[in-house]
């Protein structure tokens, strides 16, 4: 039975501020159960979308770097939506030049990272035999990426810390150009500068948990809130690093490489180099099952 997709959500405060009112006489326990159910359904549905190409690899969110127009497709899932899809205008492409415009010093590649493979988190952990490689494509400005992290980020961290997966991040920054807000590249620089002090994952998690609104330009002072949450040891060194933006070119090149590899939006997740449907892994149980299936 076909399911009619929901209409695009209103960007206005009125569209986002609809109030959920409990029925008269409902007990607090019943209301709490309803709210919990709605939250789970919203998150699960909010990260499910696909390109017209039918690859079904990115969550709504996500923001699409390739030129053309994205469209929602019918999915056999609840029609609640926690995020609006951001579609590019025809002819929109990512720009390495503009993406790296915030660089003010010599450019570097994060230690242990590569444009094509990304940055491995928990790199000091010995992998268990047959552990699959999980690659997560994210833009630090992407709201649906924050939803994905909220849903399964802790599980990804646990699996990586236990050596059950190799967790790689391929960071993109096309939303800087798409939205006009300079946020993706500065926050990515902050993340890699935190990685220089062994605090990549803590900074990454804080950046998505405390994410600024999409389209907002942010200063190093604002980004420093993530560094403090991550407990970066030397904030002065982190500030100097982030201000010089040494990883802007790497991030722009990473963005271009991901697009070349066929990534059409963020978040996108690969397991052993193959895109997986987010609807299959958006819960901890679903993710764990997918990892068990992929373990050799």
């Amino acid at each position: 039975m076909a399911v009619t997709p929901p209409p695009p959500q209103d960007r206005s405060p009125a569209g986002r501020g609809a109030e959920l009112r409990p029925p008269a006489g409902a007990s607090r326990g019943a209301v709490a159960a309803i709210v919990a159910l709605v939250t789970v359904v919203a998150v699960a549905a909010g990260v499910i979308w696909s390109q017209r190409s039918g690859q079904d690899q990115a969550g709504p969110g996500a923001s699409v770097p390739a030129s053309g127009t994205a469209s929602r497709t019918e999915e056999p899932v609840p029609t609640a939506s926690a995020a609006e899809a951001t579609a590019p205008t025809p002819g929109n492409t990512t720009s390495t030049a503009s993406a790296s415009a915030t660089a003010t010093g010599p450019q570097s590649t994060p230690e242990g990272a590569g444009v094509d493979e990304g940055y491995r988190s928990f790199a000091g952990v010995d992998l268990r035999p047959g552990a699959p490689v999980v690659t997560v494509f994210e833009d630090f400005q992407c709201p649906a990426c924050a939803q994905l992290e909220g849903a399964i980020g802790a599980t990804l961290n646990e699996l990586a810390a236990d050596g059950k997966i190799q967790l790689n991040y391929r960071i993109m920054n096309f939303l800087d150009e798409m939205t006009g807000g300079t946020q993706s590249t500065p926050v990515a620089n902050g993340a890699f500068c935190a990685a220089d002090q062994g605090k990549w994952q803590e900074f990454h998690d804080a950046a998505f948990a405390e994410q600024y609104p999409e389209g907002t330009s942010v200063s190093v002072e604002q980004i420093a809130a993530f560094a403090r949450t991550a407990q970066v040891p030397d904030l002065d060194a982190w500030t100097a690093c982030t201000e010089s933006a040494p990883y802007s070119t790497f991030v722009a090149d990473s963005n271009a490489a991901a697009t070349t590899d066929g990534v059409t939006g963020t978040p996108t997740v690969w397991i052993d180099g193959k895109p997986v449907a987010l609807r299959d892994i958006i819960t901890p149980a679903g993710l764990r099952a997918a990892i068990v299936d992929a373990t050799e």
Side-chain angles (χ1 to χ4, degrees):
M1 180 178 66
V3 178
T4 302
Q9 286 190 304
D10 184 2
R11 283 184 177 269
S12 69
R16 296 186 176 188
E19 183 179 0
L20 179 63
R21 297 182 181 276
S27 67
R28 291 185 178 180
V31 172
I34 292 172
V35 171
L37 177 60
V38 169
T39 300
V40 171
V41 170
V43 170
V47 291
I48 298 170
W49 86 303
S50 67
Q51 282 284 83
R52 188 172 290 163
S53 62
Q55 291 179 328
D56 189 20
Q57 57 181 323
S63 337
V64 184
S67 61
T69 303
S71 63
R72 291 182 180 270
T73 58
E74 294 184 0
E75 298 281 355
V77 295
T79 58
S81 177
E84 56 197 24
T86 303
T89 55
N92 177 62
T93 57
T94 54
S95 168
T96 299
S98 63
S100 60
T102 56
T104 60
Q107 294 298 288
S108 305
T109 297
E111 185 177 356
V115 166
D116 293 322
E117 61 269 24
Y119 180 86
R120 182 186 168 189
S121 191
F122 299 94
V125 174
D126 292 331
L127 297 176
R128 299 190 184 188
V133 177
V134 176
T135 305
V136 182
F137 296 82
E138 293 176 322
D139 185 312
F140 278 110
Q141 193 175 172
C142 162
C145 297
Q147 292 179 337
L148 181 77
E149 289 294 333
I152 60 172
T155 306
L156 285 169
N157 292 355
E158 178 186 334
L159 292 169
D162 289 343
K164 294 180 179 179
I165 63 172
Q166 177 177 318
L167 179 58
N168 293 353
Y169 290 96
R170 292 180 64 176
I171 300 302
M172 302 179 72
N173 67 348
F174 61 92
L175 281 172
D176 277 348
E177 183 173 358
M178 180 177 290
T179 68
T182 306
Q183 179 181 161
S184 308
T185 305
V187 176
N189 269 290
F192 289 122
C193 288
D196 291 343
Q197 299 188 43
K199 289 292 186 177
W200 159 269
Q201 195 64 51
E202 292 86 348
F203 186 99
H204 165 277
D205 294 350
F208 280 115
E210 304 168 20
Q211 186 183 62
Y212 290 100
E214 186 179 28
T216 301
S217 292
V218 296
S219 65
V220 172
E221 183 178 355
Q222 289 173 298
I223 301 170
F226 308 149
R228 288 190 290 270
T229 298
Q231 297 184 338
V232 172
D234 190 337
L235 282 176
D236 289 339
W238 175 88
T239 299
C241 176
T242 304
E243 286 178 343
S244 67
Y247 301 115
S248 294
T249 297
F250 171 79
V251 173
D253 290 346
S254 177
N255 185 89
T259 303
T260 299
D261 287 345
V263 174
T264 57
T266 55
T268 290
V269 178
W270 290 356
I271 297 181
D272 282 340
K274 298 179 180 179
V276 295
L278 295 187
R279 65 171 178 268
D280 295 335
I281 61 165
I282 197 56
T283 63
L287 174 60
R288 292 179 189 279
I291 297 307
V292 169
D293 290 344
T295 301
E296 298 176 358

